[in-house]
Structure formats: structure tokens, C-alpha cells
Amino acid sequence: MENNKNILRAAIYIRVSSDDQKKGYGPQMQLEETKEAAIDRDGCAVREDHIINDSKSGATDNRPGWKRIRELARKREIDVIYFWKLDRMMRDEHYFFANEKELQDQGVGLRFATQDLKDRLTRIIHVGIAADEREKILARTQGGRKRAIRDGKWCGPRPYGYNISTQASDRAHLVVNKEESENVNLIHRLFNEEGSSMQKLAKKLQEMRIPTLFDTQNKKKYRNGPYLWSIGSVGRILKREYYSTGKAHFNMVERPRGEKPKPRPREEWIEVSVPPIISMDTYLKTQERLKINAKYARRRSKRNYLFAKKLVCSKCNLKLSACCRPDREHAKYYRGDGWR
């Protein structure tokens, strides 16, 4: 689709997702060659705000820059999109063809500065090559990550209570964060002494203005403000075993492409030593309290019963279930599996 002056309106999409790519084919080099192809070679008009830079992986289309491209296409502000190479657009077959179809339906064409991919069969081949290269990159990355973990390095976000060391002697190992480690002990102590739920504990931590991991990283929570503890954050601190044992595990889950994650055999786990923060006695008390809370939790309860989950049969030792007649709300009773 062309405008009145027969000059195509072009957008330029630049994507660089890693430091290695920045060394080899960085955004400046991509921009120069792509701009030359769009303007000098093909005579397209390119506005400055239609030059989109992105820094996310090409394995998905859920990227800020790509969302901007799709928005321009929907608003009919562009006629064609220029890429340095095909793999700068997508590295996944499904996302490539789905987005190609969507853009074609909106009258927007795809062009590649350094590749002649007008023939569909040629495009299909290059899409497969891009996807295969992504798999190789992923395999190399995972291999390097496993080697680093086996060397005792922490490969992941820092957990609450620790810092990732930058010292040359123990680079990438975890060291104790004194202030946060005291908060970890406080969280366990409050949970065990007060016997409250994680939801109430999270609210109490907020009232006490105990900083979260988000707060210690000097990030702003525009929606809820500082010191907001979620149940998930509290649960991770209460349940993670390495706070007491000093042994964390990686490579516990396998994530096959296109399938649900599944646990790996224990012999494939990789163990990493970390400094313990709480005692084993404290950890065991916390786990016992968690079991009690789970046993007596009032989840999705339609009615309140005085002795719910607290009565057992004196003869068969089975737990009694609380019941109520639908036609008589006040007629509450308890029954076993085969009797009332």
C-alpha cells in the first residue's frame, strides 16, 4: 500500500539481545546498513520515531519494540518494515509466520537489508535456520551455566538475605547480607511465636516497615508503595531449605520446548553451597507450623463449624467431616465415612 506521493513509509526495527551481539553486530551497525537499504536503495521515507530499538529475545513476540511496530501497522502509519536480517525479527517459526500473516493482512510488507528473501521458500528456509541457531545458542548458554554452577557460582537472581560477591577470590558466590539476614530470622521467629498465617505475617511486616528485596534494590512500586510483602515472598523465605542447610540446588526442573515443565531425577540436580542464615531447629519448627496451618486452613469454606478438622472417631480414628442440611442451616452435625 503506497501513499499519495508513491513513497513507501518505512519503519526500521533493530534488535540486540546480548552483549555478544553488541560486539559483533551492534545496533549502530544494524541501523546504518538498514537505513541505507531503506532510504538510499529503495527510496522509502523513514521518520525518526519509526526507528525502533529492542533488546529482548527473538524467541517470542512479547517485546516492547515489537508491540510498537504492531501498533504502527494497526494504525496504518507504515507500509513496510525493514530488518537488518530475518533473525532480528523472530527466532521462532510459529511467531514468525503468525506475525507475518498479521502484518500482511494489514497491508504491511517485510524487507531485509542484507538478505534477498522475496521468495517464500527461501524465507521458510531462513526461518528454520534462525530457529536452529537459537537452539544452539540456548544449548551453549545452558552448558556454560551448568559449568559455572558446578564451580559453586550462583547463577540467578540474588535471594533475600544474601548478596552476590564481586570479589575476585569468590566472584559470583553468595555472601550474607547482614541486615536482610536479620530480617529472615525475624520472619521465622514471628511466624513460629505468633502462629499466624502468611497473609497476616505479610501485613505485619509491612506495618513494621521491613524492606523487601524490591525495596533494597531501590526500585519504586508505583502501585502499592514500599514495604509491601506478598504471600509468595514470605513463603519463599519460610520454605527454602538452604537458609538452614546451606545447600541450594539447581537444574531441578526440565522445560522441554512446547511442553509443561517436569522435575528432573535427583541425581541430575546440581548442589551449590551457600552460607546458612537460620538454625536447623528454627527451620524445622517453621515447617511444622506450616503443616499445622495447612491442616486447619479455612480455604473456600461455605460455613463455619466450631470443631472443623478437630474431631476423630474414638473407634476407627478417622477424621469426622462437618456437614449441614441444606434445608436447615442451623442443623449442623459431624459424620464419618460410613455413618452419621
Side-chain angles (χ1 to χ4, degrees):
M1 180 176 64
E2 298 183 359
N3 59 19
N4 294 333
K5 296 182 180 179
N6 295 323
I7 298 177
L8 293 178
R9 300 164 300 168
I12 292 177
Y13 181 80
I14 306 299
R15 185 180 67 81
V16 177
S17 61
S18 71
D19 292 334
D20 290 336
Q21 290 176 349
K22 290 178 184 178
K23 295 174 184 176
Y25 37 95
Q28 187 60 36
M29 190 197 77
Q30 288 186 39
L31 178 59
E32 290 174 359
E33 294 192 7
T34 309
K35 208 170 182 179
E36 180 182 353
I39 299 174
D40 300 337
R41 186 187 71 191
D42 298 340
C44 297
V46 181
R47 287 169 41 178
E48 284 299 320
D49 59 333
H50 288 175
I51 299 175
I52 311 298
N53 280 277
D54 220 338
S55 59
K56 299 295 183 179
S57 169
T60 176
D61 61 356
N62 186 22
R63 312 192 295 264
W66 190 249
K67 289 179 180 178
R68 171 65 177 153
I69 286 287
R70 294 170 69 182
E71 181 184 358
L72 293 174
R74 282 193 296 268
K75 292 181 177 180
R76 308 289 179 175
E77 295 184 17
I78 56 176
D79 304 311
V80 64
I81 307 168
Y82 276 80
F83 307 88
W84 183 62
K85 287 177 62 178
L86 181 142
D87 60 11
R88 299 301 87 202
M89 176 182 167
M90 298 288 166
R91 280 191 179 274
D92 182 275
E93 307 97 312
H94 168 76
Y95 288 114
F96 178 86
F97 293 117
N99 281 270
E100 180 189 42
K101 179 66 166 59
E102 178 185 339
L103 292 168
Q104 285 177 347
D105 291 344
Q106 293 164 347
V108 178
L110 306 179
R111 295 185 182 179
F112 308 94
T114 60
Q115 295 171 312
D116 183 9
L117 302 179
K118 295 177 182 178
D119 179 65
R120 181 168 177 78
L121 178 59
T122 307
R123 281 204 308 279
I124 292 173
I125 293 172
H126 278 269
V127 169
I129 293 172
D132 182 65
E133 181 62 24
R134 173 180 169 267
E135 294 294 333
K136 292 177 180 178
I137 292 173
L138 187 61
R140 290 194 296 267
T141 302
Q142 290 177 342
R145 185 171 180 268
K146 287 181 181 179
R147 286 193 296 273
I149 294 171
R150 289 192 177 96
D151 291 339
K153 296 180 178 180
W154 186 268
C155 296
R158 78 171 183 90
Y160 193 84
Y162 297 97
N163 289 329
I164 298 178
S165 175
T166 57
Q167 299 292 329
S169 57
D170 58 350
R171 187 180 299 278
H173 290 69
L174 289 187
V175 294
V176 174
N177 180 310
K178 184 178 179 182
E179 182 179 351
E180 291 183 4
S181 65
E182 292 174 354
N183 292 335
V184 171
N185 279 278
L186 173 66
I187 290 170
H188 279 267
R189 187 169 69 251
L190 290 174
F191 185 71
N192 289 324
E193 291 178 356
E194 299 186 3
S196 60
S197 65
M198 286 193 286
Q199 186 174 9
K200 290 182 179 179
L201 178 57
K203 187 175 181 180
K204 185 177 182 65
L205 294 172
Q206 184 179 11
E207 293 171 351
M208 295 174 64
R209 301 180 69 83
I210 302 297
T212 65
L213 186 60
F214 210 82
D215 297 323
T216 57
Q217 293 173 343
N218 296 320
K219 295 182 179 179
K220 294 182 179 180
K221 295 181 180 178
Y222 297 100
R223 192 172 184 179
N224 299 307
Y227 310 111
L228 181 70
W229 284 85
S230 66
I231 297 176
S233 298
V234 173
R236 283 189 289 272
I237 291 175
L238 294 176
K239 296 175 182 179
R240 284 180 173 170
E241 192 176 0
Y242 58 73
Y243 282 115
S244 61
T245 62
K247 296 178 181 179
H249 295 92
F250 287 86
N251 202 45
M252 298 170 62
V253 179
E254 183 180 4
R255 293 179 171 83
R257 187 179 179 186
E259 300 178 19
K260 292 183 178 179
K262 54 185 180 181
R264 295 180 185 271
R266 192 173 182 88
E267 55 268 19
E268 294 184 14
W269 295 6
I270 304 176
E271 185 177 292
V272 176
S273 297
V274 302
I277 290 178
I278 62 173
S279 67
M280 180 57 72
D281 288 341
T282 300
Y283 174 77
L284 293 176
K285 288 179 182 178
T286 299
Q287 304 317 299
E288 189 62 32
R289 170 52 60 184
L290 287 170
K291 290 179 182 178
I292 293 172
N293 285 7
K295 183 178 180 181
Y296 296 107
R298 292 166 56 184
R299 297 187 180 95
R300 299 179 294 276
S301 297
K302 294 182 179 179
R303 304 176 182 88
N304 292 327
Y305 297 88
L306 181 61
F307 298 108
K309 303 180 181 180
K310 293 182 173 64
L311 298 180
V312 295
C313 176
S314 61
K315 294 184 179 180
C316 61
N317 203 35
L318 293 177
K319 189 180 295 184
L320 305 186
S321 302
C323 303
C324 178
R325 287 183 56 175
D327 57 332
R328 297 168 61 188
E329 276 290 320
H330 64 281
K332 298 175 181 178
Y333 60 94
Y334 297 85
R335 66 177 178 85
D337 290 336
W339 57 269
R340 299 186 180 183

